[in-house]
């Protein structure tokens, strides 16, 4: 029974419980601040990826020279000197141009970032991906499932090492030329990506996601980083200060009053230490000592009166009749 424990033991238990509650609430607050911060970082990354895609899509495709690493279409430009009207027969300049659509450019962007020092990584993926390189991983499959089943605009999870975030991409009318049906898709799309995957989308449907990955340390890693010997020492000092206070302000005075009360109860002299105390003290312990002191004084007076008065008639004496 906790009720029968000493005040110091009870106080220790209360201290530990209160500490756990404070630490718990502190953790919840920190955790939500941390997550909100991670989420807004991930949103910023997704915004940038989206903006980059928009930049490409305002031109339909972007064209780059002499880089056939990955591309959708290709044109060759020949700058014939005759056409310039010089008449000279200098050798013609030949340029090969390769086109990149938004998603392809975003993939190349993500590959560059993947190799960079940036801690935030991203990619664009889909449940119905055109390029097998963009195949979703386990988190992305889960995100796509949840997003499509529950019509979510975003989805996120914290894994032991990462914060994973997915922003939904919807099919717009401008996507349909390439993603609606394989038959109607541009020839270069069919040649490079086949006719099997990445088609059959309708306007308004979920096209895929921008998937962002941020490093996020687990609670225990953060806690062990934040809590060191100094923090523990301060906590223990705080506990000791509180225990000392309880000892000197409550436990010892109570023990003194108890001892004094025991002595008074058997008629012995007892000093409660009330001499220096003020009657107007707000300290409850002082008031208890003063009240006990008054109790002791009035007990003493009552005893003196009892001793001076003659003894009352013995209970066994002749009864007085009221009819006399
Ligand atoms: C010019 C044709 C074209 C248009 C228009 C187009 N896409 Fe794509 N899309 C592609 C190609 C090609 C890929 C594969 C890129 C790669 O190699 O990573 C692709 C890839 C994607 C991917 C990544 C997953 C996958 O399929 O590999 C998503 C998501 C996507 N497109 C969504 C869209 C959306 C949304 C729009 C409209 C806003 C759109 N696309 C417009 C051709 C197109």
């Amino acid at each position: 029974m906790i009720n029968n424990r000493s005040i110091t033991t009870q106080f220790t238990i209360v201290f530990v419980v209160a500490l756990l509650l404070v630490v718990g609430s502190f953790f919840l607050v920190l955790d939500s601040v941390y997550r909100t911060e991670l989420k807004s970082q991930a949103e910023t990354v997704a915004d940038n990826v989206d903006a980059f895609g928009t930049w490409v899509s305002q031109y339909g495709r972007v064209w780059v020279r002499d880089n056939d690493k990955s591309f959708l279409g290709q044109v060759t430009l020949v700058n014939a000197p005759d056409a310039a009207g010089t008449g000279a027969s200098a050798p013609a300049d030949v340029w090969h141009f390769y086109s990149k659509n938004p998603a392809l450019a975003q993939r190349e962007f993500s590959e560059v970032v993947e190799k960079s020092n940036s801690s935030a990584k991203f990619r664009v993926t889909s449940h119905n991906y055109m390029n097998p390189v963009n195949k979703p991983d386990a988190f992305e499959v889960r995100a796509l499932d949840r997003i499509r089943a529950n019509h979510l605009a975003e989805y996120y999870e914290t894994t032991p090492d990462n914060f994973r975030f997915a922003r939904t991409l919807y099919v717009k009318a401008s996507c349909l030329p390439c993603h609606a049906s394989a038959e109607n898709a541009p020839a270069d799309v069919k040649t490079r990506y086949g006719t099997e995957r990445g088609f059959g989308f309708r306007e308004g449907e979920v096209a895929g996601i921008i998937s962002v990955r941020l490093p996020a340390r687990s609670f225990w890693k953060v806690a062990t980083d934040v809590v060191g010997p100094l923090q523990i020492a301060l906590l223990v000092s705080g506990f000791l200060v509180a225990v000392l206070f309880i000892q000197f302000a409550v436990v010892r005075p109570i023990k003194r009053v108890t001892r004094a009360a025991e002595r008074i109860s058997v008629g012995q002299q007892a000093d409660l230490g009330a001499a220096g105390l003020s009657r107007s003290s707000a300290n409850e312990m002082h008031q208890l000592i003063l009240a006990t002191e008054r109790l002791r004084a009035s007990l003493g007076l009552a005893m003196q009166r009892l001793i001076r008065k003659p003894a009352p008639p013995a209970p066994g004496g002749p009864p007085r009749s009221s009819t006399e």
Side-chain angles (χ1 to χ4, degrees), residues 112-278:
V112 172
V113 172
E114 193 69 41
K115 287 189 204 124
S116 78
N117 291 333
S118 167
S119 57
K121 310 291 185 193
F122 64 85
R123 64 202 290 257
V124 179
T125 177
S126 171
H127 51 288
N128 179 11
Y129 50 89
M130 197 170 259
N131 186 345
V133 169
N134 299 330
K135 190 177 174 204
D137 68 15
F139 160 77
E140 289 156 348
V141 167
R142 218 165 31 245
L144 282 160
D145 282 351
R146 301 270 162 88
I147 282 171
R148 293 171 69 215
N150 306 317
H151 308 286
L152 307 175
E154 60 179 31
Y155 175 81
Y156 54 89
E157 275 180 18
T158 357
T159 64
D161 301 315
N162 290 304
F163 179 76
R164 307 280 316 252
F165 176 85
R167 152 105 42 100
T168 311
L169 293 171
Y170 298 96
V171 180
K172 294 185 231 158
S174 62
C175 321
L176 298 177
C178 296
H179 287 289
S181 73
E183 301 89 72
N184 300 331
D188 45 16
V189 171
K190 286 189 272 189
T191 343
R192 297 197 56 83
Y193 296 94
T195 51
E196 225 175 278
R197 277 191 305 252
F199 305 104
F201 285 102
R202 276 173 304 186
E203 200 176 337
E205 277 182 356
V206 173
I209 52 171
I210 297 175
S211 162
V212 180
R213 191 175 78 238
L214 298 171
R217 291 175 310 155
S218 75
F219 168 66
W220 285 114
K221 279 192 199 148
V222 175
T224 46
D225 281 3
V226 173
V227 181
L230 178 67
Q231 284 79 358
I232 292 177
L234 284 176
L235 199 72
V236 171
S237 314
F239 175 70
L240 287 180
V241 166
V243 164
L244 283 177
F245 170 75
I246 292 284
Q247 279 294 323
F248 284 98
V250 181
V251 175
R252 288 183 177 210
I254 287 183
K255 281 188 176 160
R256 218 170 53 233
V257 173
T258 309
R259 269 197 307 275
E262 273 164 0
R263 289 174 68 86
I264 294 165
S265 72
V266 293
Q268 289 177 344
Q269 282 299 318
D271 180 20
L272 281 152
L277 301 184
S278 156

Side-chain angles (χ1 to χ4, degrees), residues 278-320:
S278 156
R279 271 179 157 270
S280 57
S281 168
N283 186 314
E284 290 84 351
M285 206 51 72
H286 294 175
Q287 292 303 332
L288 174 66
I289 292 169
L290 288 169
T292 316
E293 176 62 28
R294 285 195 295 276
L295 184 68
R296 185 184 68 86
S298 42
L299 259 180
L301 281 177
M303 292 291 271
Q304 277 172 17
R305 267 188 222 138
L306 274 179
I307 293 164
R308 260 188 256 128
K309 269 191 186 167
R320 271 182 256 161

